Amino acid sequence: MGKLAGKIAIVTGAARGNGEGAARVMAREGATVVLTDVLDMVHDTAKSIVNNGHKAISFKADVTKPAEVGSVVQEVRKRFGRVDILVNNAGVLKLVPLVDMTDDVLERMFNINVKGMFICTRAVLPGMIERKYGKIVNMSSVTGPIVADAGETAYAATKAAAWGFTKALAMEVAAYGINVNAICPGMIETDMVRQMAKETNPADPDSVIKTMAKGIPMGRLGTIEELGELVAFLASEESRYLTGTSIVIDGASTLPESNVMGVTC
Ligand SMILES: NC(=O)c1ccc[n+]([C@@H]2O[C@H](COP(=O)([O-])OP(=O)(O)OC[C@H]3O[C@@H](n4cnc5c(N)ncnc54)[C@H](O)[C@@H]3O)[C@@H](O)[C@H]2O)c1
């Protein structure tokens, strides 16, 4: 029996990348996983999980649209009676220097990365409070809470917001037996990172990925499976006394003091 046997989990942004990794591992651990995304591909990802012998269904839903999120949650409650786990994963990244940032880009990043988390969490929380049980996992990043680069003002601010949201919500619901935690990934090899590499060096994005890997003490980017395993842990009873915290998963990319000192010991 997997550590999530019998649990009902919603994952946002689950068509690909980290959301897909979270959905695949949680399904393997016995959860019935509800994959949501704005991309049609979400149905293929869910189908492939089912073809592996696990339980998954999918919905096209935009985290910024309360009516779409509400109808997914209503349908899940109708079919399964409850939502045990919510993984707020949907997110977007655009590298733009602040002087060039349009309101549209700024609003899109905040709407999806921050407001989407509020909308999805608000939709599942009353049921969790009523049943005095729930696990909420929010996808933050090392970018914002720990590190940042030029071009990341908006993205870093949204990911720091996810961390603040996690702490305050954990306080609101601790008494109801609901755990709220955040994950701060470093570089996980997904379309988001591949796109960032393309924007950095359109002629040779692979060289950007290789350079990233060289800068990570473990010598490589993380996989969506490794990210999924951390999500499954935070969604399980193994982490029942963990709340209001965040876990960095970055192959030690944020660790080296030598980067600052300019020396290697
Ligand atoms: N990949 C990394 O290295 C990394 C590092 C730190 C944090 N993260 C975070 O992990 C999360 C997933 O990122 P990823 O790397 O897998 O990116 P990705 O682009 O591969 O996947 C993101 C998914 O979110 C979906 N999405 C976008 N807007 C949506 C919306 N409005 N409603 C529903 N779904 C929507 C996309 O369609 C896509 O399937 C993001 O929150 C990101 O900020 C990623």
Side-chain angles (χ1 to χ4, degrees):
M1 278 244 287
K3 62 175 133 215
L4 299 177
K7 300 297 185 204
I8 311 296
I10 295 181
V11 184
T12 69
R16 64 182 191 199
N18 290 339
E20 176 186 351
R24 286 191 184 280
V25 177
M26 288 200 295
R28 198 182 67 205
E29 290 295 338
T32 297
V33 181
V34 180
L35 291 87
T36 70
D37 205 293
V38 286
L39 301 176
D40 284 326
M41 198 206 298
V42 71
H43 301 307
D44 300 327
T45 310
K47 239 180 252 161
S48 128
I49 292 174
V50 171
N51 289 343
N52 286 340
H54 304 130
K55 298 190 194 94
I57 58 168
S58 51
F59 294 95
K60 255 187 97 175
D62 184 331
V63 294
T64 67
K65 304 212 163 110
E68 289 184 18
V69 171
S71 66
V72 169
V73 172
Q74 210 179 345
E75 185 60 28
V76 172
R77 285 214 190 101
K78 208 165 88 190
R79 287 203 210 178
F80 307 110
R82 64 193 194 282
V83 177
D84 298 306
I85 299 159
L86 170 67
V87 182
N88 281 312
N89 166 78
V92 287
L93 159 68
K94 187 144 184 63
L95 299 177
V96 195
L98 184 57
V99 287
D100 300 327
M101 181 123 26
T102 62
D103 284 349
D104 280 356
V105 168
L106 187 60
E107 273 161 28
R108 180 172 145 75
M109 251 188 283
F110 271 86
N111 276 340
I112 297 173
N113 297 7
V114 182
K115 205 170 162 199
M117 235 169 26
F118 281 80
I119 290 169
C120 296
T121 307
R122 199 176 51 191
V124 300
L125 208 53
M128 289 181 171
I129 289 173
E130 202 180 297
R131 289 183 303 106
K132 292 196 161 41
Y133 183 90
K135 308 278 180 188
I136 297 170
V137 181
N138 300 320
M139 209 53 74
S140 176
S141 176
V142 295
T143 307
I146 304 173
V147 295
D149 264 323
E152 292 181 339
T153 53
Y155 182 74
T158 65
K159 292 295 156 181
W163 182 198
F165 172 80
T166 298
K167 290 193 264 191
L169 183 65
M171 286 301 292
E172 281 186 25
V173 298
Y176 298 102
I178 300 170
N179 303 67
V180 189
N181 290 296
I183 293 180
C184 295
M187 291 295 177
I188 310 295
E189 195 162 352
T190 66
D191 281 0
M192 181 182 277
V193 167
R194 284 187 282 270
Q195 180 60 31
M196 192 163 70
K198 228 183 265 172
E199 283 173 25
T200 307
N201 184 351
D204 190 5
D206 284 351
S207 72
V208 178
I209 304 262
K210 278 191 195 132
T211 307
M212 280 175 189
K214 270 194 208 142
I216 300 169
M218 291 193 97
R220 62 175 179 86
L221 280 70
T223 67
I224 60 170
E225 170 93 2
E226 288 164 336
L227 191 284
E229 279 162 4
L230 178 55
V231 172
F233 166 70
L234 288 174
S236 77
E237 287 315 292
E238 290 173 0
S239 60
R240 63 192 167 279
Y241 200 55
L242 260 177
T243 198
T245 194
S246 72
I247 298 183
V248 172
I249 173 166
D250 71 344
S253 69
T254 55
L255 196 57
E257 219 175 347
S258 50
N259 284 358
V260 180
M261 314 268 292
V263 293
T264 310
C265 298

